[in-house]
Amino acid sequence: MRVVTLNLWGMCGDWPRRRAVLTEGLRRLRPDLVAFQEVILAEAYDQAADLLGSDFHLVQQKARNPNGTGIAVASRWPVRGSDELDLHVTPRTAGFECGALVVEVSAPTGPLFFANHFPNWQLSYAYERELQTRMVADHLESIAGDRDVIVAGDLDADPQASSIRFWTGRQSLDGLSVCYRDAWEARHPGEAGITYTPDNPLMSDGDWPFGRIDYVLVRCGLHGGSTLRIDACERIFDQPVDGVWASDHFGVMADLGARTR
């Protein structure tokens, strides 16, 4: 299966030209599971459906910003159920569409859970990201059992951050610990894999300190290793097409396969 995560940057910038690059790029990549952040859903326009076409089952965040910005999950396979988590964990998180969508998907490898996690972005909000991350992980642990779990999204933190260290089994948060395999780290050990960079002219803050903030994470088994095989992981939309950049973020794509049980 092919998993893609991408922050779409809404309809900012030259949207008609960005739309053309995104539509063609997604058609060429042919993802099976997609996590979109900063995607527009309004009465007159469904950005996820527009970009992906009719081949996907869509689950969209209900608690969106007034301009329609939020998160969405798309699956080529039937969705058996979904949960939306409200991540407004402190008063400081108000005014931002922080949230998570967790869907159960009937994948060829068997039923799995796919989560789009979108915590707060502010540099000084590591505490809130810890609370948000623990909430999502705790929910997944409560429902997943022995099924495969994939977490994807714009996590607004680099690999050294407490929230990412928690996901990858390197520290606990408030009495809970989990372990997920970072797909990029698995296939590109020691490589930076930056997804938010001033090399992209659409990025507005060239002094932003967190570079790799977009992830695909795969839950690990009891004896180590991800429960799904990580065959490949690459950045996507990391180059302009005829001078047009797709978004202010680069996306991440991971190819996953079933392990022999």
Side-chain angles (χ1 to χ4, degrees):
M1 74 184 78
R2 174 162 287 181
V3 179
V4 159
T5 182
L6 180 65
N7 184 315
L8 289 174
W9 198 43
M11 296 170 65
C12 296
D14 189 343
W15 172 239
R17 296 182 74 200
R18 291 204 302 115
R19 177 187 176 278
V21 171
L22 286 163
T23 302
E24 174 57 25
L26 290 164
R27 184 199 64 79
R28 177 178 50 80
L29 292 171
R30 292 190 54 80
D32 299 304
L33 295 171
V34 179
F36 280 147
Q37 305 85 42
E38 294 190 30
V39 58
I40 300 294
L41 178 63
E43 186 174 343
Y45 185 55
D46 184 333
Q47 192 176 24
D50 179 35
L51 294 177
L52 292 170
S54 60
D55 293 339
F56 287 85
H57 303 269
L58 281 172
V59 178
Q60 309 252 21
Q61 184 182 23
K62 296 180 176 65
R64 309 178 83 87
N65 269 0
N67 69 353
T69 304
I71 61 176
V73 165
S75 169
R76 285 196 187 274
W77 307 303
V79 172
R80 299 159 57 117
S82 64
D83 296 311
E84 179 173 332
L85 305 184
D86 180 353
L87 299 185
H88 292 98
V89 292
T90 73
R92 295 203 303 177
T93 61
F96 179 66
E97 66 273 20
C98 53
L101 287 174
V102 178
V103 299
E104 186 178 6
V105 174
S106 295
T109 56
L112 61 79
F113 288 98
F114 181 52
N116 184 353
H117 177 36
F118 194 37
N120 273 79
W121 59 270
Q122 292 89 335
L123 290 176
S124 60
Y125 282 28
Y127 172 66
E128 281 79 3
R129 284 189 288 276
E130 287 182 356
L131 296 178
Q132 293 163 332
T133 297
R134 193 196 184 284
M135 182 183 296
V136 174
D138 189 44
H139 180 74
L140 290 169
E141 289 299 298
S142 72
I143 63 174
D146 61 357
R147 281 165 287 184
D148 297 320
V149 183
I150 305 165
V151 176
D154 170 8
L155 305 190
D156 285 308
D158 64 19
Q160 291 73 45
S162 53
S163 55
I164 307 303
R165 288 174 55 79
F166 168 81
W167 279 122
T168 57
R170 293 175 169 93
Q171 76 166 72
S172 61
L173 289 177
D174 192 24
L176 179 68
S177 59
V178 297
C179 189
Y180 285 67
R181 195 75 167 99
D182 174 354
W184 178 267
E185 181 183 58
R187 303 309 308 171
H188 301 272
E191 295 184 28
I194 291 172
T195 59
Y196 195 59
T197 168
D199 291 344
N200 181 344
L202 299 184
M203 178 185 175
S204 60
D205 188 346
D207 195 36
W208 194 263
F210 303 154
R212 184 155 79 88
I213 61 176
D214 301 88
Y215 297 82
V216 174
L217 306 168
V218 184
R219 192 186 192 201
C220 289
L222 179 62
H223 297 289
S226 55
T227 58
L228 290 166
R229 206 176 58 245
I230 301 171
D231 294 327
C233 185
E234 302 298 337
R235 296 187 308 183
I236 56 174
F237 300 111
D238 59 346
Q239 297 293 327
V241 177
D242 296 329
V244 179
W245 295 81
S247 176
D248 64 338
H249 284 239
F250 303 153
V252 178
M253 177 185 74
D255 288 337
L256 310 176
R259 289 193 183 277
T260 303
R261 303 287 180 169

